[in-house]
């Protein structure tokens, strides 16, 4: 079976591996399942509990406990109905959030030009790279990035998978002579960028990148990006799966963005410099 199909119904890598192994074997103990699937024993019970919660796996009351897949017709019907209900609730929350944003933006001190962009359910091929590059191509002087605690490695599969694209995009900006200032909460971005920088063979190019790029470490819940002190990007968090993003809001208003730049500078001064060498 194509694992992408299981990913499309929301199963992460461990869940996909364990479910497919159970489907092939029929019934297994947790320890045996851990060996066959190569999912760490310290993680296997959490994975099985989640699969049971999804209605895909049932627990056989034996000693030791055994696990087996639920009949697919029953399991998938239940999953579809649950996802349908979650989607309706998500749309309700989105409608309420948009209404609240509209209410707040009606104040006199609200930004004048606001755009909302929603990500597709799944980026294909080079779509993410093209999307990120299109955002970055008009930057003239500086980008300021704040990465929150929620994006630590392993917490958000969506974010971890995008790191290669973002790290290369930030490196390209630095090579263009754009100042790149990243305040990071120990996300997967750090090793990704460091690997790219250390792989540069031309010392003059590497030195130039290090001149224009600086990363500091600070664990924070703040999550925003600023372009040239003019444009502000705010993440739209999925209220059902809070480790994923639905899209973003772009605010083109210098006076409004200035408030966030002041906040960034305050956080920046508290951060500890990350060595890119």
């Amino acid at each position: 079976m194509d694992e992408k199909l299981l990913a499309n119904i929301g199963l992460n890598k461990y869940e996909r591996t364990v479910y497919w192994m159970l489907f092939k074997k029929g019934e297994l103990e947790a320890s045996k399942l851990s060996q066959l699937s190569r999912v760490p024993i310290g993680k296997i019970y959490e994975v099985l509990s989640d699969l049971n919660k999804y209605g895909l796996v049932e627990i056989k009351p034996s000693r030791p406990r055994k696990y087996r897949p639920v009949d697919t017709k029953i399991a998938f019907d239940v999953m579809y109905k649950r996802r349908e209900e979650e989607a309706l609730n998500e749309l309700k929350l989105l409608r309420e959030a948009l209404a609240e944003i509209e209410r707040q933006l009606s104040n006199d001190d609200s930004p004048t030009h606001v755009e909302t962009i929603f990500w597709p359910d799944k980026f294909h091929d080079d779509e993410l790279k093209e999307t990120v590059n299109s955002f970055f191509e008009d930057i003239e002087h500086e980008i300021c990035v704040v990465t929150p605690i929620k994006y630590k490695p392993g917490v958000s599969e969506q974010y971890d998978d995008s790191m290669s694209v973002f790290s290369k995009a930030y490196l390209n900006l630095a090579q263009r002579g754009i100042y790149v200032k990243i305040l990071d909460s120990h996300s997967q971005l750090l090793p990704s960028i460091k690997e790219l920088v250390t792989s540069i063979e031309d010392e003059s190019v590497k030195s130039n990148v290090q001149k224009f790029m600086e990363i500091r470490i600070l664990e924070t819940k703040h999550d925003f990006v600023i372009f040239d002190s003019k444009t502000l990007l705010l993440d739209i968090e999925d209220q059902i799966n809070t480790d994923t993003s639905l899209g973003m809001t772009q605010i083109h208003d210098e006076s409004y963005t200035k408030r966030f730049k002041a906040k960034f500078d305050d956080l920046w001064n508290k951060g500890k410099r990350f060595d890119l060498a």
Side-chain angles (χ1 to χ4, degrees):
M1 175 185 287
D2 187 349
E3 277 201 20
K4 290 182 179 179
L5 292 174
L6 294 177
N8 288 341
I9 67 173
L11 300 187
N12 63 34
K13 184 176 181 180
Y14 280 165
E15 291 166 351
R16 296 194 297 268
T17 302
V18 170
Y19 181 67
W20 181 234
M21 184 59 65
L22 272 176
F23 201 83
K24 289 192 293 185
K25 299 297 182 180
E27 185 177 293
L28 289 171
E29 299 173 14
S31 58
K32 184 65 175 178
L33 187 54
S34 173
Q35 294 174 4
L36 294 174
S37 64
R38 296 185 180 179
V39 172
I41 191 67
K43 193 74 175 175
I44 193 72
Y45 290 100
E46 178 186 342
V47 172
L48 287 167
S49 176
D50 287 341
L51 289 172
N52 176 253
K53 181 177 64 178
Y54 302 153
L56 295 173
V57 168
E58 60 183 3
I59 303 171
K60 185 178 180 181
S62 59
R63 290 194 178 184
R65 286 185 176 182
K66 292 186 178 180
Y67 300 83
R68 60 191 176 197
V70 176
D71 178 86
T72 53
K73 178 172 177 52
I74 297 173
F76 293 168
D77 282 349
V78 171
M79 174 174 277
Y80 180 84
K81 290 176 181 177
R82 186 179 68 252
R83 290 292 177 84
E84 184 178 38
E85 183 178 345
E86 289 176 352
L88 292 173
N89 287 334
E90 185 176 332
L91 287 173
K92 180 176 179 291
L93 290 170
L94 177 60
R95 184 166 58 247
E96 292 172 352
L98 292 174
E100 177 61 18
I101 292 173
E102 183 178 3
R103 184 190 68 77
Q104 293 186 18
L105 296 183
S106 65
N107 297 331
D108 291 338
D109 62 347
S110 62
T112 55
H113 185 188
V114 179
E115 296 178 62
T116 301
I117 300 171
F118 292 100
W119 305 130
D121 292 336
K122 196 87 172 177
F123 280 102
H124 299 287
D125 299 327
D126 291 330
E127 285 182 344
L128 178 59
K129 178 181 177 182
E130 292 172 2
T131 300
V132 171
N133 288 339
S134 69
F135 286 147
F136 288 1
E137 65 183 358
D138 294 329
I139 300 176
E140 298 176 348
H141 175 65
E142 178 186 66
I143 180 174
C144 300
V145 182
V146 183
T147 304
I149 295 174
K150 69 178 182 179
Y151 290 140
K152 283 189 173 182
V155 174
S156 171
E157 187 175 354
Q158 178 194 39
Y159 189 78
D160 287 350
D161 290 345
S162 69
M163 279 308 90
S164 174
V165 172
F166 278 99
S167 57
K168 290 177 183 177
Y170 293 140
L171 190 69
N172 288 337
L173 287 176
Q175 290 175 325
R176 279 171 46 194
I178 305 296
Y179 286 97
V180 179
K181 300 173 75 173
I182 301 173
L183 194 63
D184 193 275
S185 299
H186 293 285
S187 79
Q188 195 63 28
L189 182 65
L190 300 181
S192 183
I193 288 182
K194 186 164 186 174
E195 182 180 357
L196 285 176
V197 173
T198 54
S199 68
I200 298 174
E201 296 181 358
D202 190 319
E203 289 300 323
S204 63
V205 173
K206 182 183 295 186
S207 177
N208 196 57
V209 167
Q210 292 173 334
K211 173 184 175 182
F212 285 97
M213 177 181 287
E214 183 176 353
I215 300 176
R216 295 189 183 183
I217 307 297
L218 181 70
E219 294 198 353
T220 176
K221 293 183 180 179
H222 292 284
D223 183 7
F224 59 89
V225 180
I226 301 172
F227 294 167
D228 294 328
S229 297
K230 297 177 182 179
T231 302
L232 175 67
L233 277 68
L234 299 175
D235 180 61
I236 302 175
E237 186 181 81
D238 187 335
Q239 296 301 308
I240 302 299
N241 300 306
T242 55
D243 60 346
T244 60
S245 173
L246 291 176
M248 68 176 191
T249 298
Q250 282 192 87
I251 299 175
H252 307 276
D253 187 315
E254 286 189 56
S255 61
Y256 189 83
T257 303
K258 189 179 295 183
R259 293 157 54 188
F260 281 81
K261 183 58 167 65
K263 183 63 180 179
F264 178 85
D265 291 340
D266 177 55
L267 296 170
W268 185 253
N269 290 331
K270 297 176 183 176
K272 181 179 179 181
R273 185 163 185 146
F274 177 73
D275 186 11
L276 285 172

